[in-house]
Amino acid sequence: MENIVISTSKKEETDFILQLMRKLGFKALVISDEEKRMKARGKLVKLARSAGTHFVSEDEVEYEVKKVRRNRHGKKK
């Protein structure tokens, strides 16, 4: 299975693309910004747990946030 990620800036665009994909017989899934933030937060929690008693520095948190943003926007920050 292959996936395509399409980002839109307007709800009308999202609705149009969803309708088109469904009419063409494709499954479509919308992931909200909040869901993306929750996934990033989950990664940070996982990082903190894997660190055990190790203190998680601000630099480590910033690194993970930048990594998530890079993956989300496809840009280097």
Side-chain angles (χ1 to χ4, degrees), residues 5-62:
V5 177
I6 300 172
S7 296
T8 61
S9 59
K10 298 179 183 176
K11 182 165 177 19
E12 296 83 18
E13 294 170 345
T14 302
D15 293 341
F16 172 76
I17 291 171
L18 285 173
Q19 288 177 5
L20 178 61
M21 292 297 102
R22 289 180 181 141
K23 285 183 181 181
L24 293 173
F26 294 99
K27 292 181 181 178
L29 172 68
V30 176
I31 300 173
S32 70
D33 283 339
E34 178 156 351
E35 289 171 307
K36 289 184 269 186
R37 282 192 296 272
M38 292 303 292
K39 184 172 181 162
R41 192 173 293 157
K43 287 183 179 184
L44 288 173
V45 168
K46 184 178 177 182
L47 174 66
R49 285 186 183 146
S50 69
T53 57
H54 171 71
F55 174 75
V56 178
S57 71
E58 287 185 35
D59 290 338
E60 290 172 297
V61 172
E62 184 177 348

